[in-house]
Amino acid sequence: REAAGGVSSVDLTLASSDEAGGEKKTAVTASVLRRELTSRYPGLGPLLNDRDGSVTLALNEEYVDPDDDPILKTGDTVAIIPPISGG
């Protein structure tokens, strides 16, 4: 859906296996989110999984270091920020 300023917004619900009725608890992390988004939106895969910083993730309005893999919690907001150049 279209949010303010022409920014697209997607509500995405991911359940850890314990929430889905499984026995093993699996944390939903930034890398799990990247894989899930790539699965749902294959055209994003090359950007989301490029380790040279093609896109940046922000979690609750804080940039996520590419080497970090934070655990996502219910209610977290994740932004996918495209490459930005300036002069």
Side-chain angles (χ1 to χ4, degrees), residues 4-62:
V7 176
S8 293
S9 173
V10 176
D11 292 325
L12 182 65
T13 302
L14 301 174
S16 60
S17 60
D18 65 319
E19 295 169 336
E23 294 180 19
K24 180 181 173 190
K25 184 173 182 173
T26 303
V28 177
T29 63
S31 62
V32 170
L33 175 66
R34 287 176 190 263
R35 284 193 303 271
E36 183 63 25
L37 288 172
T38 297
S39 173
R40 292 184 188 195
Y41 307 98
L44 290 178
L47 293 172
L48 290 172
N49 299 300
D50 185 4
R51 298 299 296 165
D52 71 2
S54 289
V55 299
T56 301
L57 291 182
L59 176 60
N60 299 321
E61 301 181 12
E62 297 284 334

